[in-house]
Amino acid sequence: MTVPTLSINLATIRKQWGLREAVEACARHGIRAIDPWRDQVAAYGVQDSARVIKDHGMQVTGYCRGGMFPALDQARRDAAIEDNRRAIDEATALGADCLVLVVGGLPEGSRDIGGARQMVADGLSAILPHARACKLPLAIEPLHPMYAADRSCINTLAQALDLADAFGEGVGVAIDVYHVWWDPDLAQQIARAGAHKQILAYHICDWLVPTKDLLLDRGMMGDGVINLKQIGAMITQARYTGPHEVEIFSNDWWAKPGDEVLATCLERFRQVI
Ligand code: ZN
């Protein structure tokens, strides 16, 4: 069995460093894979980002993020589709393994979640030809149901896989433990995703009790209630062999020195995975 390696989602150290410094810091800690965010890449420039990533021999385990398809009117939905096409181009320039999609929630003032889900399917359908032409897989990331209104109306792995199945080639899922750990159907759905080679990324962190902020209080692996060993075993059994990507949005961890954060990520990764 191959031992999984670590990737750092650069949101984890976004308050400490810009893209270049973050890549250099990861390299310094012996980390060979990252997942940058669009704003970080935009601030440093796409070509310069691609160069510094290549110079350090970094695998790009994903690019965060595309999606946010639902909107009140056609003009805004079209604008979202155009923006996703640009995200595909950037991800391709960076050599990313996939574009992570947080699909979007309800348009402002809407109570029609079914309609929002249809807009997601329509948006995916509109960008998929370009993604396929770029040979860039699209990874639908189901988000915890607490984000259904404002971030993602795709809330379970089963739902994400149903959507991926409907589109076929070039669409898979990003499995983030923060969003799916509670799901009684998790083992079965991870096995299902593995059987069809649909797992494009695996994100790890922990769920703190209590959670002080629903967005910015993710825990470091080992500090919360997620059984990371158990879910990690499901992922391995599903034949996902890519790096495990640490993704922690946390006011607490953002307040610490970046080198301490990375050292802790590595140490916990060895302990709890
Ligand atoms: Zn994630």
Side-chain angles (χ1 to χ4, degrees), residues 9 35 37 64 100 102 141-143 174-179 202-204 218 245 247 249:
N9 184 297
D35 177 347
W37 282 64
C64 284
V100 175
V102 170
E141 180 166 341
L143 258 54
I175 299 176
D176 186 324
V177 296
Y178 196 71
H179 299 300
Y202 178 51
H203 299 173
I204 56 173
R218 290 188 181 209
E245 178 181 319
E247 184 182 35
F249 317 139

Side-chain angles (χ1 to χ4, degrees), residues 109-153:
S110 166
R111 292 187 175 85
D112 182 7
I113 196 163
R117 287 174 178 146
Q118 186 57 50
M119 289 176 195
V120 170
D122 293 345
L124 264 167
S125 166
I127 67 168
L128 187 53
H130 186 51
R132 281 182 180 154
C134 295
K135 297 194 181 352
L136 181 77
L138 301 174
I140 303 165
E141 180 166 341
L143 258 54
H144 190 285
M146 67 183 171
Y147 300 119
D150 58 349
R151 286 173 193 275
S152 174
C153 56

Side-chain angles (χ1 to χ4, degrees), residues 64 199 258 271:
C64 284
I199 306 175
Q271 284 169 6

Side-chain angles (χ1 to χ4, degrees), residues 178-256:
Y178 196 71
H179 299 300
V180 301
W181 69 275
W182 55 273
D183 185 349
D185 210 20
L186 186 60
Q188 196 184 330
Q189 296 303 325
I190 288 178
R192 168 189 169 188
H196 298 96
K197 298 188 168 46
Q198 287 163 307
I199 306 175
L200 300 175
Y202 178 51
H203 299 173
I204 56 173
C205 66
D206 216 331
W207 183 283
L208 299 178
V209 180
T211 289
K212 293 174 286 186
D213 183 302
L214 295 181
L215 188 62
L216 305 180
D217 193 27
R218 290 188 181 209
M220 178 63 65
M221 296 81 74
D223 287 346
V225 297
I226 299 179
N227 192 331
L228 286 158
K229 267 198 208 314
Q230 192 180 58
I231 301 177
M234 293 173 193
I235 292 286
T236 304
Q237 215 161 22
R239 298 179 197 280
Y240 173 78
T241 54
H244 295 196
E245 178 181 319
V246 178
E247 184 182 35
I248 300 175
F249 317 139
S250 161
N251 291 320
D252 289 344
W253 287 97
W254 283 332
K256 296 180 199 293

